[in-house]
Amino acid sequence: YRSICPYMHTVTSPAGGATVFVVSAMGCLVVISLLFSNVWRIDHDWVKQADPFENTLHRRDPATLNPTAAGEYARSWLEHRWVDDDQAVMRTKKALNNSAKSQAMARIKEIAG
């Protein structure tokens, strides 16, 4: 008995296979790129962030800025974050001072007792 292959001449040539592979890989890259760029555009924040120093005297004349605010402005710029207001700066300083005092008192009690 002899068998006949029903799939003769259905396999593409190596050049055709490579072409299909390259075109499909590039198509997938384009589709994924379009998908992620659209997701990025959808997720984009369209509301402008409020700048606490916008349209203030400090923009026109930086010498009018008090030293605490100037230091906070510089630290926030270096730390890549928004500027805290004066009350937040004072709360942070107070918390750090209280923390340092409590640590010092605990150390003194540890040494004394």
Side-chain angles (χ1 to χ4, degrees):
Y1 298 96
R2 76 176 191 193
S3 61
I4 299 174
C5 181
Y7 302 110
M8 290 186 68
H9 304 294
T10 57
V11 177
T12 61
S13 66
T19 303
V20 168
F21 173 75
V22 169
V23 168
S24 62
M26 291 297 165
C28 287
L29 286 175
V30 168
V31 168
I32 290 172
S33 298
L34 288 173
L35 174 74
F36 283 132
S37 65
N38 286 331
V39 167
W40 178 71
R41 285 185 54 100
I42 290 170
D43 190 48
H44 180 70
D45 294 329
W46 295 103
V47 178
K48 183 178 181 245
Q49 296 289 336
D51 184 5
F53 286 100
E54 189 172 5
N55 296 327
T56 61
L57 179 62
H58 310 303
R59 286 275 189 205
R60 294 187 296 267
D61 186 14
T64 61
L65 193 62
N66 68 19
T68 304
E72 167 57 23
Y73 187 68
R75 277 190 302 280
S76 67
W77 184 76
L78 290 171
E79 295 170 1
H80 303 288
R81 60 177 175 80
W82 290 104
V83 178
D84 288 334
D85 58 355
D86 291 335
Q87 291 83 15
V89 171
M90 295 310 288
R91 280 193 306 268
T92 304
K93 281 186 177 182
K94 188 174 184 180
L96 290 175
N97 284 341
N98 289 340
S99 174
K101 286 178 186 176
S102 64
Q103 288 177 355
M105 290 301 293
R107 182 72 178 140
I108 289 171
K109 287 179 183 177
E110 181 183 304
I111 291 173

